[in-house]
Amino acid sequence: MRFLEFAEICSRIEKISSRLAMADALAGVFQTIPAEELSVFVRFARGRIFPDWSAEKLMFGPSLLYEALAYVIGKKKEYVISAVNSSGDTGSVVEGLLAKREQMMFFSEELELMDVHARFLSMAQSQGRRSQQERLRTAQYLLSNASPIEGRYLSRLILEEMRIGVGEGVVKDAVSKAFGIPAETVEHAHQALNDLGEVALLAKTAPEELLKVHITPFKPVKMMLAQAGSIKGMLETHGMLAAENKYDGSRFQFHKTGDKAAIYSRRLEEMTESLPDVVAKLSAAATHDVIIDGEVIAILNGKPMPFQTVLRRIRRKHDIDAAQEQIELRPCVFDILVCDGKTLIDLPFSERRKILTEVMTDYVAPQMVSSSADEIEAYYHAALDAGNEGIMLKVLDTPYLPGNRGKLWIKIKPEVDTIDLAVTGAEWGEGKRAKMFGSFILACQDENGELLEISRVATGIDDAMLSTLYDLFKDRVVAEHGKTVSFEPDVVFEVGYAELQRSTNYPAGYALRFPRFVRLRDDKDAGEIETIESLHRRYSMQNKEE
Ligand code: AMP
């Protein structure tokens, strides 16, 4: 497929607003496209260059893109930047600037979809002193051979933001439609493979394989997630539950096959090199080839520490007395996905747990199974007293659902604090929300009423509120810089958070952990927002309680 054809399909899809019609259009393409191009097409349509299990990056940000484009159109980089600033959408700017240049072009090579992909791979893999230069040259080659519409999608792909509304759900529906495969089968294969490109390819070439898919060592799958809920509600629905401590650490997925082991973060980035002690502990404790799920916590003087503290302590470890600051990183494992090549995610949790305790000589998180609200309540308070965030309640007879944030895992933790902050800007959303503000920039004030950025918030805002907020803020935009806009700062949000942290990333000197939109405080104006002084007080209160 020529890249031009891909761009034209994207342009067609971008204009479709119905999800159903979008899936139909994609299904038609999936049926006709040659099998060897299908995986790349699927990833590209979602703005992905690599499979979802891969943490590989193109290493090519907006600034380099502007530089490459400036070279191609024979202008200064500042010219491109100012065009992007006044439009806000890099794709359209690239399209417009390439269109102006087009008259001067005599020769150009036709870009092929697979060739573009191969060049992206070489960009990602290029290493060493000259790698930036090489990546720049590749981008220049691609842009200089791109027609305006190709430039539009090429640049969005480079920035990994397609803005055409094709999300996971639409692709899954399209695969299901195109090849007549039940939605559950597509979903299940996707959970295990964590790459819709491969799912689509199997659906086209070997649909029977979709039922037999296995999780592959060293291709991490998404982690199962939790929702907030109540002990009473969970017991009413399920009768009997497993309760575990909710550790305040960092989630991991550990893979071991023979002598080889790797550990991945919640974002599926490989952390093997930065957590050698954790890898060594888990490798020694796992008596089989496994993929296990867990949380790594930090222990100081026998007590769990908030993970933020750990990171801070680790960074300063050379300046302090090692004997005084003994930080131990300890894994707590609570689930098993694969054992000796066998994928276990469809087994009930109680059976997986049994296997987990058989194959691990250590580090299995303690668990209590109970149907009594009083017992679970007591377990919850004991968990808090021991320095945990709360407890997790898990349904015993259910599968492991990678990437699912459902009602099978429920977190129970104390109510979060809330804080009132001014909204000083926002970033455009992604996918379907591309024409809405997605995340909001928040600020507190100093003693002179100067606004100081402290956090961003994107969670806790439902679709209806997003559109209310769009209407509210669209006339308050005072400047645009790339994907970010600044607002007249006269709107106040009440925001929940789990912990106030010291931070050098924000001018306020603090950051909010797990910020969550609670409500619009249209009864308040910016003068009434949180001051630095009261933040200091909050911070010291919080640490006293610890
Ligand atoms: P939250 O991040 O508040 O949505 O809570 C879910 C997170 O709690 C998971 O992603 C894990 O990182 C963490 N967690 C801590 N302890 C457990 C546990 N016993 N089981 C599952 N997740 C846990």
Side-chain angles (χ1 to χ4, degrees), residues 43-278:
R43 290 184 204 129
F44 274 16
R46 289 186 55 226
R48 301 285 157 86
I49 293 165
F50 305 100
D52 285 354
W53 53 260
S54 164
E56 194 137 24
K57 299 253 161 34
L58 200 56
M59 307 289 287
F60 204 84
S63 173
L64 281 172
L65 177 66
Y66 305 154
E67 193 171 331
L69 181 65
Y71 172 86
V72 169
I73 60 170
K75 299 269 188 203
K76 286 221 157 58
K77 185 174 165 185
E78 289 66 34
Y79 176 82
V80 175
I81 293 176
S82 89
V84 172
N85 272 347
S86 55
S87 144
D89 172 19
T90 308
S92 321
V93 169
V94 174
E95 183 175 14
L97 293 179
L98 286 179
K100 276 196 206 153
R101 172 209 67 154
E102 210 174 22
Q103 300 82 344
M104 319 175 328
M105 286 291 294
F106 298 108
F107 306 107
S108 86
E109 286 180 41
E110 271 181 8
L111 294 175
E112 287 289 325
L113 183 79
M114 296 309 279
D115 181 50
V116 170
H117 180 249
R119 283 174 201 272
F120 281 155
L121 290 192
S122 80
M123 279 167 90
Q125 279 151 13
S126 119
Q127 278 178 348
R129 220 162 30 89
R130 303 196 47 75
S131 60
Q132 176 134 324
Q133 210 48 40
E134 280 166 18
R135 284 196 284 271
L136 195 60
R137 223 168 300 125
T138 307
Q140 285 164 352
Y141 169 87
L142 290 171
L143 287 169
S144 64
N145 287 298
S147 62
I149 188 167
E150 288 174 291
R152 177 184 181 91
Y153 296 104
L154 201 52
S155 56
R156 288 186 181 177
L157 258 179
I158 288 178
L159 301 178
E160 300 201 55
E161 273 181 67
M162 282 305 266
R163 294 190 176 198
I164 60 172
V166 173
E168 253 178 47
V170 172
V171 174
K172 282 190 268 193
D173 288 353
V175 169
S176 180
K177 268 186 193 167
F179 308 111
I181 291 168
E184 312 81 67
T185 309
V186 173
E187 175 64 29
H188 189 255
H190 175 231
Q191 287 177 346
L193 294 171
N194 201 11
D195 174 21
L196 281 173
E198 197 176 339
V199 172
L201 181 60
L202 282 180
K204 189 176 178 97
T205 57
E208 64 290 351
E209 293 297 317
L210 286 176
L211 288 168
K212 301 187 241 159
V213 289
H214 294 294
I215 297 180
T216 313
F218 311 108
K219 287 187 180 178
V221 294
K222 290 195 187 119
M223 310 208 179
M224 183 157 170
L225 300 169
Q227 270 187 22
S230 71
I231 297 174
K232 203 166 148 266
M234 281 294 276
L235 279 176
E236 271 167 19
T237 320
H238 302 287
M240 177 86 83
L241 296 166
E244 297 167 3
N245 286 338
K246 184 175 191 307
Y247 301 99
D248 182 14
S250 196
R251 187 79 175 267
F252 69 79
Q253 197 175 94
F254 173 75
H255 292 218
K256 176 187 167 188
T257 303
D259 291 339
K260 191 174 167 208
I263 196 163
Y264 302 92
S265 71
R266 179 175 169 146
R267 294 168 61 204
L268 311 188
E269 285 159 336
E270 189 172 345
M271 310 281 288
T272 313
E273 279 183 19
S274 39
L275 295 172
D277 45 345
V278 181

Side-chain angles (χ1 to χ4, degrees), residues 18 48 92 148 175 223 241 366 417 426 478 505 507 521 538 541:
S18 133
R48 301 285 157 86
S92 321
V175 169
M223 310 208 179
L241 296 166
D417 275 331
V478 290
N505 293 337
R521 292 300 304 252
R538 268 179 199 259
M541 289 282 290

Side-chain angles (χ1 to χ4, degrees), residues 243-529:
E244 297 167 3
N245 286 338
K246 184 175 191 307
Y247 301 99
D248 182 14
S250 196
R251 187 79 175 267
F252 69 79
Q253 197 175 94
F254 173 75
H255 292 218
K256 176 187 167 188
T257 303
D259 291 339
K260 191 174 167 208
I263 196 163
Y264 302 92
S265 71
R266 179 175 169 146
R267 294 168 61 204
L268 311 188
E269 285 159 336
E270 189 172 345
M271 310 281 288
T272 313
E273 279 183 19
S274 39
L275 295 172
D277 45 345
V278 181
V279 172
K281 283 178 182 172
L282 289 168
S283 300
T287 55
H288 291 245
D289 289 347
V290 291
I291 298 181
I292 51 180
D293 186 6
E295 183 100 350
V296 54
I297 54 169
I299 308 282
L300 179 66
N301 303 327
K303 248 193 103 190
M305 302 298 293
F307 198 66
Q308 225 10 68
T309 321
V310 184
L311 295 182
R312 272 203 308 271
R313 297 277 165 96
I314 289 173
R315 270 187 226 119
R316 321 193 304 231
K317 73 180 168 198
H318 298 300
D319 310 338
I320 50 173
D321 182 2
Q324 210 187 338
E325 297 270 350
Q326 278 295 332
I327 291 187
E328 181 206 340
L329 291 185
R330 185 188 298 165
C332 303
V333 301
F334 42 73
D335 219 317
I336 181 160
L337 282 59
V338 170
C339 183
D340 295 331
K342 206 161 163 251
T343 297
L344 308 177
I345 58 174
D346 292 326
L347 293 180
F349 178 44
S350 48
E351 282 182 40
R352 296 198 308 276
R353 168 90 190 173
K354 195 160 162 285
I355 299 172
L356 180 69
T357 52
E358 284 163 9
V359 301
M360 294 298 293
T361 59
D362 203 352
Y363 306 117
V364 176
Q367 187 185 79
M368 183 195 61
V369 174
S370 172
S371 56
S372 148
D374 286 347
E375 256 175 50
I376 296 178
E377 195 74 38
Y379 194 76
Y380 168 64
H381 289 290
L384 291 179
D385 291 346
N388 298 295
E389 267 189 289
I391 55 170
M392 298 288 296
L393 295 178
K394 299 183 180 177
V395 181
L396 290 160
D397 57 359
T398 48
Y400 186 97
L401 299 175
N404 180 277
R405 188 189 287 284
K407 288 196 161 57
L408 304 178
W409 284 14
I410 292 290
K411 53 191 172 190
I412 310 285
K413 52 184 189 177
E415 286 290 303
V416 292
D417 275 331
T418 69
I419 188 168
D420 293 329
L421 297 166
V423 187
T424 57
E427 215 167 276
W428 289 105
E430 299 192 73
K432 274 258 166 255
R433 293 177 163 189
K435 295 187 177 72
M436 297 268 182
F437 301 117
S439 83
F440 294 85
I441 304 167
L442 306 168
C444 61
Q445 60 182 333
D446 67 13
E447 57 281 15
N448 303 318
E450 282 287 332
L451 295 175
L452 300 172
E453 211 177 290
I454 181 172
S455 184
R456 289 185 173 220
V457 68
T459 19
I461 312 178
D462 61 18
D463 284 352
M465 181 50 82
L466 262 189
S467 92
T468 306
L469 293 178
Y470 176 73
D471 289 339
L472 179 69
F473 284 110
K474 67 179 193 303
D475 300 321
R476 289 185 160 80
V477 175
V478 290
E480 295 224 11
H481 338 266
K483 291 188 332 190
T484 314
V485 294
S486 302
F487 296 143
E488 199 93 69
D490 57 352
V491 174
V492 178
F493 279 2
E494 183 181 344
V495 176
Y497 67 95
E499 194 197 351
L500 188 62
Q501 299 167 337
R502 284 220 175 266
S503 163
T504 48
N505 293 337
Y506 287 106
Y510 290 103
L512 303 183
R513 185 154 190 234
F514 302 138
R516 159 173 285 273
F517 174 85
V518 176
R519 62 194 160 126
L520 250 180
R521 292 300 304 252
D522 26 18
D523 54 333
K524 282 201 166 185
D525 67 42
E528 296 172 85
I529 59 170

Side-chain angles (χ1 to χ4, degrees), residues 418-419 497 500 530 534-542:
T418 69
I419 188 168
Y497 67 95
L500 188 62
E530 186 85 6
S534 61
L535 277 173
H536 294 325
R537 268 202 308 276
R538 268 179 199 259
Y539 187 73
S540 63
M541 289 282 290
Q542 164 190 294

